Amino acid sequence: DVKVTQSSRYLVKRTGEKVFLECVQDMDHENMFWYRQDPGLGLRLIYFSYDVKMKEKGDIPEGYSVSREKKERFSLILESASTNQTSMYLCASSSPGPIQPQHFGDGTRLSIL
Amino acid sequence: DQQVKQNSPSLSVQEGRISILNCDYTNSMFDYFLWYKKYPAEGPTFLISISSIKDKNEDGRFTVFLNKSAKHLSLHIVPSQPGDSAVYFCAASITDSWGKLQFGAGTQVVVTP
């Protein structure tokens, strides 16, 4: 069965800290995505990657960066965490092409104090 | 500015009746549409999709209708069951965009006995 695993379900960090969110998929998918989910706004794309070491900005990349050194792993980095980055973060993966649905992890609830 | 809009944040329906969820989009370049379902503390799961070359797609109790001229799609669930209580997200994609999705804000469906 398809599996996307996010390393933490809940995370609490302090303002200014560098935060790493990890995501691993076991489906050999080329595409991987990071979203944040906020009430009333749905899911918004932060960054995506269509191959190892390749990355593209999504709709809200400010304050974030990503790393994809291996095909199965996609990391989201908050360079200097701020309170407005408190959110639910969701990782997804898919095969190439728009007709391939994305498979999501269960999310990381991140709180920045 | 959100390109995919779900204007009803919530919907309550009796078990056995029809649930109708609506979604509007503004970008005429979108040519593939998906619905995802999300339970609390879980990631979204793919439900059903439709290409812009069709106006209807059916999968068991779930049917999606697409009206391109109105830039509108809807999801019908018949009959509604208690297990359908969840948040439903509408999403849209453009071919050759690496499968990037634009999501709506979601509609919370509650199915009552």
Side-chain angles (χ1 to χ4, degrees):
Chain A
D1 199 14
V2 164
K3 190 74 175 175
V4 177
T5 303
Q6 295 184 230
S7 53
S8 304
R9 294 300 300 270
Y10 301 94
L11 209 51
V12 180
K13 296 291 182 180
R14 297 208 174 271
T15 303
E17 279 193 72
K18 191 169 187 177
V19 181
F20 293 85
L21 302 183
E22 306 287 345
C23 175
V24 177
Q25 51 98 0
D26 65 359
M27 297 158 286
D28 202 36
H29 283 162
E30 284 82 0
N31 297 341
M32 295 189 74
F33 307 83
W34 275 107
Y35 296 89
R36 61 178 283 176
Q37 182 193 353
D38 299 289
L41 296 176
L43 280 71
R44 292 179 292 165
L45 182 64
I46 304 171
Y47 266 96
F48 70 99
S49 168
Y50 53 88
D51 202 350
V52 176
K53 296 191 185 295
M54 305 304 291
K55 58 186 179 184
E56 293 286 338
K57 293 180 180 179
D59 299 317
I60 51 165
E62 296 79 18
Y64 304 93
S65 62
V66 290
S67 172
R68 192 160 180 208
E69 296 297 318
K70 294 184 178 182
K71 189 175 186 180
E72 68 271 17
R73 186 179 297 270
F74 193 34
S75 303
L76 179 70
I77 305 155
L78 286 65
E79 297 291 344
S80 177
S82 64
T83 55
N84 63 12
Q85 293 178 309
T86 291
S87 186
M88 170 68 82
Y89 289 87
L90 291 159
C91 174
S93 71
S94 72
S95 297
I99 62 173
Q100 301 301 319
Q102 293 180 18
H103 301 270
F104 284 83
D106 286 338
T108 296
R109 172 72 66 184
L110 176 64
S111 297
I112 307 297
L113 304 179
Chain B
D1 190 29
Q2 279 197 298
Q3 300 181 58
V4 177
K5 297 179 183 178
Q6 294 176 255
N7 292 320
S8 298
S10 63
L11 174 70
S12 182
V13 63
Q14 272 191 318
E15 183 177 0
R17 306 294 291 267
I18 183 171
S19 295
I20 300 177
L21 290 77
N22 295 302
C23 178
D24 297 296
Y25 60 96
T26 57
N27 189 341
S28 57
M29 297 293 291
F30 288 140
D31 57 5
Y32 199 74
F33 304 89
L34 308 90
W35 285 93
Y36 281 81
K37 175 180 180 179
K38 186 181 185 301
Y39 292 119
E42 294 183 12
T45 55
F46 169 71
L47 193 57
I48 192 169
S49 62
I50 187 167
S51 164
S52 60
I53 62 173
K54 294 185 173 182
D55 54 17
K56 177 182 175 181
N57 189 27
E58 196 170 352
D59 184 0
R61 296 186 297 114
F62 302 91
T63 303
V64 56
F65 297 91
L66 175 62
N67 182 334
K68 281 186 295 182
S69 61
K71 294 191 182 69
H72 176 83
L73 64 155
S74 62
L75 174 68
H76 292 208
I77 307 173
V78 185
S80 299
Q81 298 174 354
D84 296 330
S85 296
V87 177
Y88 290 79
F89 291 100
C90 172
S93 179
I94 301 172
T95 303
D96 297 331
S97 66
W98 294 292
K100 286 194 302 177
L101 297 176
Q102 289 286 334
F103 282 86
T107 296
Q108 172 76 61
V109 172
V110 175
V111 180
T112 57

